[in-house]
Amino acid sequence: ATEDPPAAAGPQEPAPPVGLVEVRILAPPAEAAQKVGEGQETPYRWVRGPLGLRSATLQAPSPPVGLVEVRMNPSKLTTFSLPQLTAADSITISGLGQSPLSSLSFPSLKGSLQSLLVGNTSLTTLEAFAGITAITETLVIIGNDKLTNAALPNLASAGTLNVASNAVLPAIGLGALTTVTKDVLFQRDPKLETFALPSLTSVGGKVSLTIPAVTIGLPKLTHVDELVLNPAMLALGVER
């Protein structure tokens, strides 16, 4: 099901016209303030693709990079790549309505992000973000109707983890995740029958699961403020 993704990080602009692709690559706030004054933004790249654009490969600017945002309204874009991007503060990939975007590539991207949002795409995997080791604020994966593999194999820590309304997602692949400083939220993922975070030891807030999982695997979890389960899961005698 298509959902409106949460608001993207950084300054917001009106949605582009229907059928248009808009890509913004912005300087971090501190860099922008030095260049154009406090409270303003400096776009390294601001690209509005033509109607019917199906594939886009852009050169990334030299670091530092603040926000990388790809907005589809909706569009015909199926492939997007930033092969030279090595680091960024935040990345948002989102469609207004289900987007046909099925191929995403950030082959040089490694290390930490502040936030990552992937919403309303046709991606089947999140392999574009395999090099990410930490997300300090929010990781949001929402409304991706074809996503079957949500593995982020090197992600060790996150602020808030929010996974919702991914129609065919059967399992999660966060085997390296050890720490979540705020909340773990899984909602309305109708095929997610096995929930396992095998390395997770600490959650600063709550773990809330509104999913059909009949098996929950949190073998190393030693601290969580609150565990909230779907009543139907309790009725089925969830193993936990």
Side-chain angles (χ1 to χ4, degrees):
T2 298
E3 293 215 355
D4 292 335
Q12 296 298 295
E13 294 289 329
V18 171
L20 215 61
V21 177
E22 185 176 55
V23 179
R24 297 194 300 166
I25 304 176
L26 305 182
E31 294 286 319
Q34 292 175 9
K35 294 178 180 178
V36 297
E38 192 67 37
Q40 300 184 51
E41 61 185 36
T42 300
Y44 286 129
R45 299 282 189 275
W46 191 310
V47 179
R48 285 194 167 183
L51 298 178
L53 180 69
R54 296 178 184 274
S55 179
T57 299
L58 301 182
Q59 289 190 347
S62 300
V65 173
L67 170 68
V68 175
E69 181 180 51
V70 181
R71 302 168 73 193
M72 297 155 287
N73 191 36
S75 74
K76 295 182 179 180
L77 186 72
T78 61
T79 302
F80 181 81
S81 177
L82 275 173
Q84 298 170 329
L85 183 71
T86 59
D89 290 345
S90 300
I91 297 177
T92 292
I93 311 293
S94 65
L96 299 178
Q98 198 68 28
S99 159
L101 182 72
S102 59
S103 177
L104 187 65
S105 178
F106 299 106
S108 302
L109 182 65
K110 294 179 174 62
S112 176
L113 296 172
Q114 289 181 11
S115 63
L116 172 62
L117 187 156
V118 181
N120 295 340
T121 75
S122 294
L123 295 171
T124 58
T125 78
L126 299 180
E127 62 184 353
F129 306 105
I132 298 302
T133 57
I135 297 175
T136 58
E137 295 180 5
T138 57
L139 168 60
V140 179
I141 304 167
I142 184 169
N144 301 285
D145 283 355
K146 296 183 179 180
L147 187 67
T148 57
N149 183 352
L152 296 172
N154 295 304
L155 184 68
S157 63
T160 292
L161 175 58
N162 186 352
V163 180
S165 301
N166 300 287
V168 296
L169 184 66
I172 52 177
L174 300 174
L177 186 66
T178 61
T179 305
V180 175
T181 58
K182 295 181 181 178
D183 297 326
V184 175
L185 310 171
F186 280 73
Q187 309 168 66
R188 303 181 304 280
D189 297 296
K191 300 296 184 181
L192 191 57
E193 297 184 352
T194 299
F195 178 85
L197 294 173
S199 302
L200 186 65
T201 61
S202 176
V203 177
K206 66 182 178 181
V207 175
S208 179
L209 306 178
T210 311
I211 53 177
V214 295
T215 300
I216 298 176
L218 297 167
K220 295 185 178 180
L221 186 62
T222 58
H223 175 79
V224 60
D225 280 357
E226 183 181 7
L227 178 62
V228 180
L229 299 180
N230 184 344
M233 296 166 65
L234 296 175
L236 288 171
V238 168
E239 178 186 339
R240 55 176 172 148

